[in-house]
Amino acid sequence: MVLVVGVDEAGRGPVIGPLIIIGVLIHEEDSARLKSLGAKDSKLLVHKKRVALAKQILKVIENHKMITIEPEEIDKAVQGHDGLNLNWLEARKTAEIINFLKPDKAIVDCPSPNLKAYSNYLKKLLNNQSIELITEHKAEKYEAVAAASILAKVAREEAVEKIEKKLGQKIGTGYMSNPQCQNFVKENF
């Protein structure tokens, strides 16, 4: 029985809110169950559907691990603190997830345009050097990654809702492409 981890993130590049990275651990044969639920790239699903799917996904998977990266840590990485950039920060957190879940195989939605450099950097951080590691762009075609994508997006949306409650006003998605977020930033920056 092969244990597979799919890793994806939500919140890369917002102006408000955290970056959430989630790894989902499944038995490889449970990929079909995730597919039958409708697990796919979270960006292709409306909020209500993502929330409903997230609950179903949690019943199918063996385990999962979520890491929340707050804006201060992202800013430090982007500014080159500790030799980091955003891709290397994400690789370190992804390795932490993989090392915690201990799969036989890991499939990672790669944030870097340079797949080889990212894969090499990530591999050096893994405890299990014999793990089968797949890093691809648009890796949500793998059900475990699609499941991670959905859980990460739902967790990020919940984090943004908490910020809205704390501020007592709507801020939108936290991305500058969102008109409500644009207005919030203009009015409050």
Side-chain angles (χ1 to χ4, degrees), residues 140-152:
E140 294 91 352
K141 66 184 178 186
Y142 299 97
E143 287 79 12
V145 178
S149 171
I150 292 165
L151 294 182

Side-chain angles (χ1 to χ4, degrees), residues 44-154:
L44 302 175
L45 300 165
V46 296
H47 171 76
K48 194 173 184 178
K49 181 68 174 171
R50 282 192 296 267
V51 171
L53 270 174
K55 290 175 184 168
Q56 293 176 299
I57 288 166
L58 289 171
K59 293 175 185 173
V60 172
I61 63 176
E62 286 297 308
N63 199 358
H64 71 286
K65 180 164 178 64
M66 177 175 84
I67 293 180
T68 301
I69 307 171
E70 297 297 341
E72 297 81 14
E73 189 174 1
I74 295 167
D75 290 346
K76 281 183 178 179
V78 170
Q79 294 163 3
H81 182 264
D82 197 23
L84 289 176
N85 60 41
L86 188 54
N87 291 337
W88 293 162
L89 174 64
E90 198 167 322
R92 286 185 181 183
K93 301 300 183 178
T94 296
E96 189 178 323
I97 288 168
I98 294 168
N99 289 335
F100 175 82
L101 293 172
K102 298 178 178 68
D104 305 302
K105 177 171 153 180
I107 308 167
V108 178
D109 187 46
C110 183
S112 171
N114 188 333
L115 283 168
K116 186 175 182 182
Y118 185 86
S119 296
N120 290 339
Y121 187 86
L122 176 59
K123 181 87 173 183
K124 289 177 188 171
L125 300 169
L126 298 178
N127 295 338
N128 177 2
Q129 287 296 299
S130 63
I131 192 171
E132 181 183 350
L133 179 63
I134 298 168
T135 54
E136 292 184 14
H137 298 128
K138 303 196 184 302
E140 294 91 352
K141 66 184 178 186
Y142 299 97
E143 287 79 12
V145 178
S149 171
I150 292 165
L151 294 182
K153 187 81 160 172
V154 169

Side-chain angles (χ1 to χ4, degrees), residues 18-61:
L19 170 62
I20 307 266
I21 305 174
I22 291 188
V24 167
L25 182 70
I26 64 167
H27 291 285
E28 196 165 43
E29 61 268 17
D30 285 334
S31 291
R33 288 178 64 199
L34 290 173
K35 187 173 187 165
S36 71
L37 290 176
K40 58 183 169 184
D41 186 346
S42 63
K43 293 181 283 300
L44 302 175
L45 300 165
V46 296
H47 171 76
K48 194 173 184 178
K49 181 68 174 171
R50 282 192 296 267
V51 171
L53 270 174
K55 290 175 184 168
Q56 293 176 299
I57 288 166
L58 289 171
K59 293 175 185 173
V60 172
I61 63 176

